[in-house]
C-alpha cells in the first residue's frame, strides 16, 4: 500500500501493517564539478541507485528546505524535505534512510531542531503545503484551506518514529520555523513557533500549551511569520515574509525583521519596509553581535509582472542593530551564512532561474562577489559542517543537497 510518500507492507491479509524504510546509497560519490578556484569541489549527497525505494533520479530532484547535523553525533544528519520528508543519515551523508512513521502530515517538513541535551530527541514542523516561502504558496497561507494544515512533531529515536505533540492554543496550520530554548528545563522546553498565516506562538511546557506573542508584529496587516531565532545579544528576532498582493493596483504588503527585548511580549520593526519587501532569511555575524544580514527574494519577478526597482531582491546588512541598512547584493537571495572562522567570508544562495546565479561568495565582507561553480542552481539552505569549517552544505529547490570544500 502506498500513501503519499509512505510505503506499507502487510503479510497477514491486511490485519497489521508495517512501514517500509528506504535506503539511499551514496558511497559512489564523485566530484561533479570544480569551482572558480581549483581547490573547491562539490559532491551530490545521497545519490540514489536501483536499490532505493524510488526512481534512481529522485535524490537529485529533491527540494530540501534545511540540512541539519546532530550536536550529539556529527555523523547523524537529517534533511527537512518538501514532498518527500523523513530522510536521515547515520554516516554523514554517505547513505540515507527514510521513515515517516507516526507523522500526521507526511507530506512536507520545513524545519528540524535537535534537543540540545537529549540525544535522539528531535522537533520538526510538518505540513500538507509544499514550497513555502515561494510566492504562490505564501499568498493563501491565512485562507483556512486544509492544504495549509500542519503540526509540530517530536521524535525520541532520531527520527525513526514521530508523534504529534498536544497543541492546545496552536492553530492547525503550517509552522515554518522553530526555536527551542537550550536554557529551558529539559522536560518542559520553551519553544517558539513561526506559524505562517497566523503569527508567532510560544510554549513553556514542551509544546503542550501555546499562546500567541504577536504584539507589535503587525499581524493584522501581514501575518506571514516565517522565521524566529534568538540573537547573540540575547534578544529575540522574528521575520515575516511578503504579505498579500492586490493585482488590480499591484500593491504589496512587505515583510520585515522585528526585534523583542522582553521575551517576545512586544516587538519593534527594524528593517527597511520601503526596500525589503520579500524577506526570506536572516543571520547574525558570529563575530559581531550588532551585524545582521537579511536576504530577500525578487518580488518584482515573482509577484508583479511590471518591474518595480524598489521590489527587487538582494542581501542587506546592518552594523547598528537595524538603525541603518546597506545593500550588498542585488540578486534574488535566499540564505546567507558567515564563515565561522572568518567574518569577511560570506556565502549567499540565490533562488532565481538565471543560469549566472547560484551560490555567491565574498572574501571581503560583501564589497565584491563571485559566483561559485556549484553544479546546482536555485540554491536554498546553507550550513557549515560543525566539525569542519571548510565544508559547506548547500540545499536546492529541485536539485538535491550538495557538499563543497572551500579549501
Amino acid at each position: 500500500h502506498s500513501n503519499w510518500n509512505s510505503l506499507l507492507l502487510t503479510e497477514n491479509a491486511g490485519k497489521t501493517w508495517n512501514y517500509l524504510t528506504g535506503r539511499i546509497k551514496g558511497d559512489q560519490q564523485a566530484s561533479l564539478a570544480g569551482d572558480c578556484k581549483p581547490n573547491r569541489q562539490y559532491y551530490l549527497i545521497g545519490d540514489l541507485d536501483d536499490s532505493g525505494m524510488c526512481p534512481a533520479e529522485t535524490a537529485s530532484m529533491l527540494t530540501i528546505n534545511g540540512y541539519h547535523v546532530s550536536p550529539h553525533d556529527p555523523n547523524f544528519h537529517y534533511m527537512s524535505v518538501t514532498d518527500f520528508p523523513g530522510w536521515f543519515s547515520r554516516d554523514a551523508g554517505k547513505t540515507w534512510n527514510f521513515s515517516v512513521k507516526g507523522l500526521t502530515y507526511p507530506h512536507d517538513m520545513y524545519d528540524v531542531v535537535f534537543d540540545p541535551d537529549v540525544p535522539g530527541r528531535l522537533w520538526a514542523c510538518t505540513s500538507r503545503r509544499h514550497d513555502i516561502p515561494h510566492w504562490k504558496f505564501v499568498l493563501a497561507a491565512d485562507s483556512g484551506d486544509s492544504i495549509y494544515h500542519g503540526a509540530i512533531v517530536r521524535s525520541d529515536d532520531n527520527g525513526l518514529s514521530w508523534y504529534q505533540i498536544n497543541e492546545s492554543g496552536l492553530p492547525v496550520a503550517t509552522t515554518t520555523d522553530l526555536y527551542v530554548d537550550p536554557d529551558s528545563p529539559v522536560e518542559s522546553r520553551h519553544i517558539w513557533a513561526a506559524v505562517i498565516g497566523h503569527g508567532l506562538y510560544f510554549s513553556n511546557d514542551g509544546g503542550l500549551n501555546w499562546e500567541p506573542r504577536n504584539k507589535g508584529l503587525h499581524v493584522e496587516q501581514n501575518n506571514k511569520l516565517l522565521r524566529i531565532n534568538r540573537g547573540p545579544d540575547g534578544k529575540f528576532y522574528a521575520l515575516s515574509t511578503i504579505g498579500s498582493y492586490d493585482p488590480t493596483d499591484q500593491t504589496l504588503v512587505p515583510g520585515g525583521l522585528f526585534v523583542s527585548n522582553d521575551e517576545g511580549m512586544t516587538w519593534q520593526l527594524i528593517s527597511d519596509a520601503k526596500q525589503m519587501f520579500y524577506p526570506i532569511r536572516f543571520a547574525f555575524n558570529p563575530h559581531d553581535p550588532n551585524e545582521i544580514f537579511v536576504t530577500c527574494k525578487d518580488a518584482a519577478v515573482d509577484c508583479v509582472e511590471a518591474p518595480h526597482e524598489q521590489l527587487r531582491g538582494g542581501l542587506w546588512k546592518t552594523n547598528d542593530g537595524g538603525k541603518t541598512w546597506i545593500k550588498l547584493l542585488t540578486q534574488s537571495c535566499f540564505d546567507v551564512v558567515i564563515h565561522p572562522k572568518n567574518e569577511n567570508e560570506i556565502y549567499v544562495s540565490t533562488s532565481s532561474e538565471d543560469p549566472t546565479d547560484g551560490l555567491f561568495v565574498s572574501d571581503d565582507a560583501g564589497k565584491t562577489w563571485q559566483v561559485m561553480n556549484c553544479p546546482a542552481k536555485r540554491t536554498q539552505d546553507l550550513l557549515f559542517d560543525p566539525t569542519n569549517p571548510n565544508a559547506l552544505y548547500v540545499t536546492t529547490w529541485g536539485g538535491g543537497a550538495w557538499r563543497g570544500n572551500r579549501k
Side-chain angles (χ1 to χ4, degrees):
H1 172 71
S2 177
N3 178 19
W4 291 92
N5 61 4
S6 306
L7 187 62
L8 298 93
L9 171 70
T10 179
E11 296 179 311
N12 53 12
K15 293 180 181 179
T16 59
W17 292 85
N18 293 305
Y19 282 86
L20 296 180
T21 57
R23 182 175 178 86
I24 292 179
K25 292 185 177 180
D27 51 355
Q28 307 93 337
Q29 292 176 16
S31 177
L32 299 182
D35 202 347
C36 46
K37 293 183 179 179
N39 58 357
R40 299 180 190 171
Q41 293 182 323
Y42 289 85
Y43 299 84
L44 179 63
I45 298 171
D47 199 12
L48 265 174
D49 66 8
D50 290 339
S51 67
M53 260 183 58
C54 37
E57 68 273 11
T58 300
S60 60
M61 297 174 63
L62 290 176
T63 292
I64 302 171
N65 298 311
Y67 198 93
H68 318 276
V69 178
S70 170
H72 309 290
D73 178 3
N75 290 315
F76 185 84
H77 296 189
Y78 202 99
M79 295 189 295
S80 44
V81 179
T82 283
D83 295 325
F84 202 9
W87 293 105
F88 60 93
S89 171
R90 298 188 181 97
D91 52 15
K94 294 179 181 178
T95 60
W96 290 87
N97 297 273
F98 163 80
S99 176
V100 292
K101 184 178 181 180
L103 289 184
T104 310
Y105 302 99
H107 318 87
D108 302 274
M109 192 173 284
Y110 283 100
D111 190 26
V112 172
V113 178
F114 292 94
D115 189 284
D117 296 312
V118 183
R121 180 172 294 175
L122 287 70
W123 310 82
C125 312
T126 61
S127 173
R128 292 190 64 204
R129 168 53 79 192
H130 64 184
D131 290 346
I132 295 171
H134 299 290
W135 168 245
K136 67 178 181 178
F137 304 104
V138 170
L139 181 62
D142 54 358
S143 65
D145 192 322
S146 62
I147 194 65
Y148 285 93
H149 283 183
I152 299 174
V153 295
R154 185 176 121 177
S155 172
D156 292 315
D157 54 12
N158 265 336
L160 286 174
S161 62
W162 298 86
Y163 66 90
Q164 183 173 336
I165 59 178
N166 183 20
E167 298 173 334
S168 176
L170 191 70
V172 182
T174 296
T175 298
T176 53
D177 199 25
L178 290 174
Y179 175 79
V180 177
D181 189 345
D183 297 322
S184 58
V186 171
E187 295 305 325
S188 56
R189 285 294 190 203
H190 293 186
I191 307 174
W192 296 79
V195 186
I196 195 163
H198 297 270
L200 192 64
Y201 286 77
F202 171 73
S203 171
N204 62 4
D205 57 8
L208 296 178
N209 297 279
W210 297 82
E211 62 181 43
R213 292 281 179 94
N214 293 322
K215 187 177 181 180
L217 289 175
H218 310 315
V219 293
E220 61 278 1
Q221 286 90 32
N222 184 355
N223 54 20
K224 308 302 192 304
L225 265 292
L226 190 65
R227 310 291 293 179
I228 174 68
N229 203 358
R230 189 191 287 274
D233 55 6
K235 302 174 184 177
F236 273 100
Y237 292 80
L239 185 79
S240 61
T241 191
I242 198 166
S244 59
Y245 167 54
D246 186 346
T248 59
D249 58 6
Q250 295 185 341
T251 56
L252 293 163
V253 178
L257 181 65
F258 298 81
V259 64
S260 174
N261 299 308
D262 54 10
E263 297 294 304
M265 301 305 295
T266 60
W267 297 87
Q268 296 80 41
L269 178 68
I270 62 171
S271 58
D272 186 352
K274 294 181 180 179
Q275 296 186 75
M276 300 154 70
F277 268 77
Y278 199 168
I280 298 294
R281 297 281 181 97
F282 66 95
F284 308 103
N285 186 338
H287 311 279
D288 182 354
N290 289 315
E291 193 166 274
I292 307 171
F293 296 82
V294 174
T295 62
C296 292
K297 281 173 60 68
D298 196 335
V301 172
D302 286 7
C303 313
V304 183
E305 292 183 0
H308 295 270
E309 287 304 315
Q310 70 271 27
L311 303 182
R312 293 295 182 188
L315 173 69
W316 278 265
K317 181 181 77 169
T318 177
N319 291 314
D320 52 18
K323 295 177 182 177
T324 59
W325 294 85
I326 58 174
K327 193 172 187 178
L328 301 179
L329 200 59
T330 59
Q331 276 72 17
S332 183
C333 298
F334 197 96
D335 197 13
V336 55
V337 290
I338 299 87
H339 195 285
K341 301 295 184 181
N342 182 1
E343 64 180 322
N344 294 315
E345 196 172 315
I346 306 171
Y347 294 80
V348 177
S349 59
T350 61
S351 60
S352 77
E353 297 182 4
D354 191 321
T356 63
D357 286 349
L359 182 63
F360 281 73
V361 63
S362 173
D363 291 312
D364 53 15
K367 295 177 183 177
T368 61
W369 297 86
Q370 55 185 325
V371 182
M372 302 183 74
N373 192 23
C374 180
K377 304 300 179 182
R378 301 203 73 173
T379 48
Q380 297 200 144
D381 191 55
L382 303 176
L383 176 72
F384 279 103
D385 190 309
T387 63
N388 179 5
N390 292 317
L392 180 67
Y393 294 100
V394 182
T395 76
T396 68
W397 193 89
W402 298 75
R403 179 173 56 238
N405 293 307
R406 179 73 196 270
K407 303 298 183 182

